[in-house]
Coordinates of all heavy atoms in Angstrom, one line a residue:
A1 N 0.8 -1.2 0.0 CA 0.0 0.0 0.0 C 0.9 1.3 0.0 O 0.5 2.3 -0.6 CB -0.9 0.0 1.2
Q2 N 2.0 1.2 0.7 CA 2.9 2.4 0.8 C 3.6 2.6 -0.6 O 3.7 3.8 -1.0 CB 3.9 2.1 1.9 CG 4.9 3.3 2.0 CD 6.0 3.0 3.1 OE1 5.9 1.9 3.8 NE2 6.9 3.9 3.3
W3 N 4.1 1.6 -1.2 CA 5.0 1.8 -2.4 C 4.3 1.4 -3.7 O 4.8 1.8 -4.8 CB 6.2 0.9 -2.2 CG 7.1 1.4 -1.1 CD1 7.2 0.9 0.2 CD2 8.1 2.4 -1.2 NE1 8.1 1.6 0.9 CE2 8.7 2.5 0.1 CE3 8.5 3.3 -2.2 CZ2 9.6 3.5 0.4 CZ3 9.5 4.3 -1.9 CH2 10.0 4.3 -0.6
G4 N 3.2 0.6 -3.6 CA 2.6 0.0 -4.8 C 3.5 -1.1 -5.3 O 4.7 -1.2 -5.0
K5 N 2.9 -2.0 -6.1 CA 3.7 -3.2 -6.5 C 4.9 -2.8 -7.4 O 6.0 -3.3 -7.2 CB 2.8 -4.2 -7.3 CG 1.8 -5.0 -6.4 CD 1.1 -6.0 -7.3 CE 0.2 -6.9 -6.4 NZ -0.5 -7.9 -7.1
P6 N 4.7 -1.9 -8.3 CA 5.9 -1.5 -9.1 C 7.0 -0.9 -8.3 O 8.2 -1.1 -8.5 CB 5.3 -0.5 -10.1 CG 3.9 -0.8 -10.2 CD 3.5 -1.2 -8.8
G7 N 6.6 0.0 -7.3 CA 7.6 0.6 -6.5 C 8.3 -0.4 -5.6 O 9.6 -0.4 -5.4
L8 N 7.6 -1.3 -5.0 CA 8.1 -2.3 -4.1 C 9.1 -3.2 -4.9 O 10.1 -3.7 -4.3 CB 7.0 -3.1 -3.5 CG 7.3 -3.9 -2.2 CD1 7.9 -3.0 -1.1 CD2 6.1 -4.7 -1.7
A9 N 8.8 -3.5 -6.2 CA 9.7 -4.3 -7.0 C 11.0 -3.7 -7.2 O 12.0 -4.4 -7.6 CB 9.0 -4.6 -8.3
Q10 N 11.2 -2.4 -7.0 CA 12.4 -1.7 -7.2 C 13.4 -1.9 -6.0 O 14.6 -1.6 -6.2 CB 12.2 -0.2 -7.3 CG 11.5 0.2 -8.6 CD 12.2 -0.3 -9.9 OE1 13.4 -0.2 -10.0 NE2 11.4 -0.7 -10.8
F11 N 13.0 -2.5 -4.9 CA 13.9 -2.9 -3.9 C 14.6 -4.2 -4.2 O 14.2 -5.2 -3.6 CB 13.2 -2.9 -2.5 CG 12.8 -1.5 -2.1 CD1 11.6 -0.9 -2.5 CD2 13.6 -0.7 -1.3 CE1 11.2 0.4 -2.1 CE2 13.3 0.6 -0.9 CZ 12.1 1.1 -1.3
S12 N 15.5 -4.2 -5.1 CA 16.0 -5.4 -5.7 C 17.5 -5.3 -5.9 O 18.1 -4.2 -5.8 CB 15.3 -5.7 -7.1 OG 15.7 -4.6 -8.0
S13 N 18.1 -6.5 -6.1 CA 19.6 -6.5 -6.4 C 19.9 -5.7 -7.7 O 20.9 -5.1 -7.9 CB 20.1 -7.9 -6.5 OG 19.4 -8.7 -7.4
E14 N 18.9 -5.8 -8.7 CA 19.1 -5.1 -10.0 C 19.3 -3.6 -9.7 O 20.2 -3.0 -10.2 CB 17.9 -5.4 -10.9 CG 18.0 -4.8 -12.3 CD 18.9 -5.8 -13.2 OE1 19.0 -6.9 -12.9 OE2 19.4 -5.2 -14.2
A15 N 18.3 -3.0 -9.0 CA 18.4 -1.6 -8.7 C 19.5 -1.3 -7.8 O 20.2 -0.2 -8.0 CB 17.1 -1.2 -8.1
A16 N 19.8 -2.1 -6.8 CA 21.0 -1.9 -5.9 C 22.3 -1.9 -6.7 O 23.2 -1.1 -6.3 CB 21.0 -2.9 -4.8
G17 N 22.4 -2.7 -7.7 CA 23.6 -2.7 -8.5 C 23.8 -1.3 -9.2 O 25.0 -0.8 -9.2
K18 N 22.8 -0.7 -9.7 CA 22.8 0.6 -10.3 C 23.1 1.7 -9.3 O 23.8 2.6 -9.5 CB 21.6 0.8 -11.1 CG 21.4 -0.1 -12.3 CD 20.0 0.1 -13.0 CE 19.9 -0.9 -14.1 NZ 18.5 -0.8 -14.8
D19 N 22.5 1.5 -8.1 CA 22.8 2.4 -7.0 C 24.4 2.5 -6.7 O 24.9 3.6 -6.6 CB 22.2 1.9 -5.7 CG 20.7 2.0 -5.6 OD1 20.1 2.8 -6.5 OD2 20.1 1.3 -4.8
L20 N 25.0 1.3 -6.7 CA 26.4 1.3 -6.4 C 27.2 2.1 -7.5 O 28.2 2.8 -7.2 CB 26.9 -0.1 -6.3 CG 28.4 -0.3 -6.0 CD1 28.8 0.3 -4.6 CD2 28.8 -1.8 -6.0
G21 N 26.8 1.9 -8.7 CA 27.5 2.6 -9.8 C 27.4 4.1 -9.6 O 28.4 4.8 -9.8
L22 N 26.2 4.6 -9.2 CA 26.1 6.0 -9.0 C 26.9 6.5 -7.8 O 27.5 7.6 -7.9 CB 24.6 6.3 -8.8 CG 23.6 6.2 -10.0 CD1 22.2 6.5 -9.6 CD2 24.1 7.1 -11.1
L23 N 26.9 5.7 -6.8 CA 27.7 6.1 -5.6 C 29.2 6.2 -5.9 O 29.8 7.2 -5.5 CB 27.5 5.1 -4.5 CG 26.1 5.0 -3.9 CD1 26.0 3.9 -2.8 CD2 25.7 6.3 -3.2
I24 N 29.7 5.2 -6.6 CA 31.1 5.3 -7.0 C 31.4 6.5 -7.9 O 32.4 7.2 -7.7 CB 31.6 3.9 -7.6 CG1 31.5 2.8 -6.6 CG2 33.0 4.0 -8.2 CD1 31.8 1.4 -7.1
A25 N 30.5 6.7 -8.9 CA 30.7 7.8 -9.8 C 30.8 9.2 -9.0 O 31.6 10.0 -9.2 CB 29.7 7.9 -10.8
R26 N 29.9 9.3 -8.0 CA 29.8 10.5 -7.2 C 31.0 10.6 -6.2 O 31.5 11.7 -6.0 CB 28.5 10.6 -6.5 CG 27.3 10.8 -7.4 CD 26.0 11.1 -6.7 NE 26.1 12.3 -5.9 CZ 25.1 12.9 -5.2 NH1 23.9 12.3 -5.2 NH2 25.3 14.0 -4.5
D27 N 31.4 9.5 -5.7 CA 32.5 9.5 -4.8 C 33.8 10.0 -5.5 O 34.6 10.7 -4.9 CB 32.7 8.1 -4.2 CG 34.0 7.9 -3.3 OD1 33.9 8.5 -2.2 OD2 35.0 7.4 -3.8
R28 N 33.9 9.6 -6.7 CA 35.1 10.0 -7.5 C 35.1 11.5 -7.7 O 36.2 12.1 -8.1 CB 35.2 9.3 -8.8 CG 35.6 7.8 -8.7 CD 35.5 7.1 -10.0 NE 36.2 5.8 -9.8 CZ 36.1 4.8 -10.7 NH1 35.4 5.0 -11.8 NH2 36.7 3.7 -10.6
K29 N 34.0 12.2 -7.5 CA 33.9 13.6 -7.7 C 34.4 14.4 -6.4 O 34.5 15.6 -6.4 CB 32.5 14.1 -8.1 CG 32.1 13.6 -9.5 CD 32.8 14.4 -10.5 CE 32.3 14.0 -11.9 NZ 32.9 14.8 -13.0
V30 N 34.5 13.7 -5.3 CA 34.9 14.3 -4.0 C 36.4 14.7 -4.2 O 37.2 13.9 -4.7 CB 34.8 13.3 -2.9 CG1 35.3 13.9 -1.6 CG2 33.3 12.9 -2.7
A31 N 36.7 15.9 -3.7 CA 38.1 16.4 -3.8 C 39.1 15.5 -3.1 O 38.9 15.1 -2.0 CB 38.1 17.8 -3.2
G32 N 40.1 15.1 -3.8 CA 41.2 14.3 -3.3 C 40.8 12.8 -3.3 O 41.6 12.0 -2.8
A33 N 39.7 12.4 -3.8 CA 39.3 11.0 -3.7 C 40.1 10.2 -4.7 O 40.4 10.6 -5.8 CB 37.8 10.8 -4.1

């Protein structure tokens, strides 16, 4: 009810893998990283 079926389906390893790519890309933008 909170997320809907499509939203709840996004809590997955597939989406988490893409999360990690974004985090690493943004981490590399930190000064001195």
Side-chain angles (χ1 to χ4, degrees):
Q2 179 182 358
W3 294 96
K5 284 187 177 180
L8 199 56
Q10 293 301 321
F11 290 86
S12 66
S13 55
E14 187 82 21
K18 295 175 182 177
D19 290 342
L20 180 61
L22 290 180
L23 292 175
I24 293 175
R26 293 189 59 177
D27 177 72
R28 286 175 169 168
K29 293 289 185 176
V30 175

